């Protein structure tokens, strides 16, 4: 047929070996194609079988927890690492819903806890790998955290037929990072507090200069008077009485100067951050002593009302001192033309919490600003008059001592800060 010569076909038929048939070319081609196709199918089946065995080997030999899921959240397969972690058998897991096994839920995670996010749904939606971090809180286990990554398995039509979900326990790593972050935040807070103390010290020194200058002028006057008396000759009994009176006054003024300087030195000194038993009433009194003269200059009337017994908590004196100082400075700045400042402490009826009230009769805070006043760098003061960190430091210190803070304010009437601290 290929040569087009009938003689060749007759010769081929005549001379063919016994038992060997001659097929037409078309039939021969069909059989040959069939044979080749059959061989290719066998090869593809063997390859698929090998791929399946390799896939199963990888899933079951890895230490990561792996699930094979269908688009309806059903578990098709689970490896030994997953079964061991969940303390379940394959019979209990295969066919069950993934959210029931991993989270103990009766509905998909994205419906029961929208904040979790579901990487399976994301992979089904996009056809791409997805990632999430889940907190698992099962009744029979302590809470643990897993990094969950999903990978799509697509059919010939490109549709996702299965999803492989790989779960990695990151509880220890997560806790370690969280502890480091908390430690870093505490270190940052300590640095901010020290910087804020230096700013506060500048304000205190500026007002204390006037307070120290007055007694110094008095001392100079008394010294001049005593010198004049001595220049007139030997002092008599009357002059000696004057000397005693002058010396008594000079002594009192020097003691006052010494107390002012000691207070400033004590406040400015860098002290090691240390938690110990401290009395809130005592700390409030120290802060009041440091700011009293500045209040007098600003014509601010002060009223204090402390609880009759010590309010002792385990805390950092430096931090608490700076916390109260910032609030009092804020109150004073809200009353530039004078006013009233009321500082009080009391014991909550339960006996477990100390309450501190710092109330002023200043300009008040606009309602729209109340939710932002503790935000870092939030300030309504003119440039150069404030950093916007004072109240955020107050908030950080209160939280560091497991306390709470709230603010009540009315424009034109004043502001009250209420702080609560657990005692003991």
């Amino acid at each position: 047929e290929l040569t087009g010569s009938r003689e060749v076909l007759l010769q081929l038929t005549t001379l063919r070996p016994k038992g060997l048939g001659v097929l037409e070319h078309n039939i021969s081609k069909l059989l040959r194609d069939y044979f080749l196709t059959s061989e290719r199918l066998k090869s593809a089946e063997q390859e698929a079988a090998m791929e399946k065995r390799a896939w199963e080997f990888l899933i079951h030999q890895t230490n990561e927890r792996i699930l094979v899921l269908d688009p309806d959240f059903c578990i098709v397969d689970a490896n030994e690492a997953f079964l061991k972690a969940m303390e379940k058998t394959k019979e209990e897991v295969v066919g069950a819903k993934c959210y029931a096994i991993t989270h103990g839920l009766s509905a998909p995670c994205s419906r029961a806890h929208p904040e979790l996010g579901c990487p399976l749904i994301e992979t089904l939606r996009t056809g791409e790998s997805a990632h999430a971090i889940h907190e698992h809180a099962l009744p029979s286990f302590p809470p643990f955290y897993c990094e969950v990554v999903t990978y799509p398995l697509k059919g010939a039509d490109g549709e996702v037929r299965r999803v492989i979900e790989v779960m990695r326990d990151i509880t220890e790593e997560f806790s370690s990072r969280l502890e480091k972050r908390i430690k870093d935040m505490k270190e940052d807070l300590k640095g901010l507090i020290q910087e804020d103390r230096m700013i506060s010290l500048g304000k205190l020194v500026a007002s204390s200069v006037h307070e120290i200058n007055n007694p110094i002028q008095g001392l100079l006057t008394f010294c001049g008077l005593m010198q004049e008396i001595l220049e007139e000759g030997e002092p008599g009994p009357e002059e000696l009485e004057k000397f005693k009176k002058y010396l008594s006054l000079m002594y009192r003024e020097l003691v006052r100067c010494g107390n002012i300087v000691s207070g400033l030195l004590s406040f400015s000194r860098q002290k090691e951050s240390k938690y110990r038993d401290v009395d809130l009433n005592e700390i409030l009194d120290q802060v009041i002593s440091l700011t009293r003269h500045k209040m007098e200059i600003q014509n601010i009337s002060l009223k204090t009302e402390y609880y009759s017994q010590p309010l002792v908590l385990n805390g950092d004196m430096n931090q608490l001192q700076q916390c109260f100082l910032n609030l009092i400075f804020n109150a004073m700045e809200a009353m530039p033309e004078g006013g009233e400042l009321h500082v009080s402490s009391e014991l909550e009826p339960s006996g477990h919490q100390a309450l501190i009230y710092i109330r002023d009769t200043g300009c008040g805070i606009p309602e729209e600003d109340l939710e932002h006043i503790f935000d870092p760098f939030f300030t309504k003061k003119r440039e150069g008059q404030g950093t916007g960190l004072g109240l955020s430091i107050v908030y950080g210190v209160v939280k560091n001592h497991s306390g709470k803070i709230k603010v009540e304010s009315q424009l034109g009437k004043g502001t009250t800060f209420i702080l609560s601290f657990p005692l003991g």
Side-chain angles (χ1 to χ4, degrees), residues 327-341:
L327 290 173
I328 287 174
F329 271 148
N330 264 30
M332 292 165 67
E333 288 167 3
M335 301 182 285
E337 305 301 323
E340 294 180 7
L341 178 63

Side-chain angles (χ1 to χ4, degrees), residues 18 65 67 90 100 124 145 147 155 168 195 217 231 261 275 331 353 389 404:
K18 189 178 180 181
R65 305 166 190 181
L67 289 176
K90 182 165 282 193
L124 291 173
Y145 295 88
E147 179 184 42
R168 186 168 69 89
E195 289 177 21
Q217 292 301 321
E231 285 173 355
V261 173
Y275 277 69
Q353 299 273 336
L389 288 172
K404 295 178 182 177

Side-chain angles (χ1 to χ4, degrees), residues 145-334:
Y145 295 88
C146 276
E147 179 184 42
V148 183
V149 184
T150 50
Y151 301 93
L153 295 176
K154 298 179 182 180
D157 56 0
E159 293 295 317
V160 178
R161 302 299 183 194
R162 295 280 189 273
V163 173
I164 295 178
E165 184 172 280
V166 182
M167 301 168 64
R168 186 168 69 89
D169 191 333
I170 58 168
T171 307
E172 190 173 335
E173 178 185 340
F174 191 76
S175 300
S176 176
R177 286 185 182 181
L178 186 61
E179 286 171 10
K180 185 178 183 303
R181 183 64 185 141
I182 291 170
K183 184 181 178 182
D184 290 344
M185 288 173 68
K186 285 184 177 179
E187 288 298 320
D188 291 344
L189 181 62
K190 280 165 62 178
L192 284 174
I193 289 171
Q194 185 57 27
E195 289 177 21
D196 206 46
R197 284 176 78 82
M198 294 301 100
I199 294 171
S200 301
L201 182 64
K203 295 178 182 179
L204 292 171
V205 168
S207 64
S208 296
V209 165
H210 299 286
E211 192 174 2
I212 292 173
N213 187 55
N214 291 335
I216 287 175
Q217 292 301 321
L219 290 170
L220 289 171
T221 301
F222 293 138
C223 287
L225 288 171
M226 293 171 74
Q227 194 171 2
E228 286 176 9
I229 292 171
L230 289 171
E231 285 173 355
E232 291 175 1
E234 190 74 24
E238 188 177 339
E239 283 78 13
L240 288 174
E241 282 299 316
K242 285 183 179 179
F243 277 16
K244 286 181 181 179
K245 180 182 176 183
Y246 294 159
L247 287 170
S248 176
L249 290 170
M250 291 167 72
Y251 176 77
R252 285 204 302 272
E253 292 301 298
L254 283 168
V255 168
R256 188 154 75 95
C257 287
N259 288 337
I260 293 167
V261 173
S262 295
L264 290 173
L265 285 173
S266 174
F267 179 77
S268 65
R269 201 169 289 126
Q270 174 76 40
K271 299 170 188 170
E272 184 184 354
S273 180
K274 186 178 180 182
Y275 277 69
R276 58 186 177 85
D277 286 347
V278 292
D279 179 10
L280 291 175
N281 288 340
E282 185 181 327
I283 296 173
L284 282 170
D285 211 38
Q286 289 171 355
V287 172
I288 293 296
S289 297
L290 287 167
T291 55
R292 191 184 295 275
H293 183 67
K294 188 171 173 64
M295 293 182 204
E296 291 172 1
I297 294 173
Q298 283 189 222
N299 196 29
I300 293 173
S301 171
L302 172 68
K303 183 181 179 183
T304 58
E305 193 176 345
Y306 301 146
Y307 185 66
S308 57
Q309 300 295 322
L311 296 171
V312 179
L313 60 78
N314 186 257
D316 185 317
M317 179 176 281
N318 288 348
Q319 291 189 16
L320 291 167
Q321 195 178 52
Q322 190 61 40
C323 170
F324 298 145
L325 189 63
N326 282 359
L327 290 173
I328 287 174
F329 271 148
N330 264 30
M332 292 165 67
E333 288 167 3

Side-chain angles (χ1 to χ4, degrees), residues 73-123:
F73 304 95
C74 281
I75 298 174
V76 177
D77 197 3
N79 72 347
E80 285 301 318
F82 178 85
L83 297 173
K84 185 177 178 181
M86 293 291 108
E87 295 181 358
K88 292 187 180 294
T89 64
K90 182 165 282 193
E91 289 72 24
E92 292 175 298
V93 166
V94 172
K97 301 291 186 182
C98 58
Y99 50 79
I101 298 296
T102 60
H103 289 280
L105 300 173
S106 56
C109 306
S110 56
R111 195 183 308 162
H113 298 289
E115 71 281 0
L116 278 179
C118 178
L120 170 62
I121 290 177
E122 188 66 15
T123 292

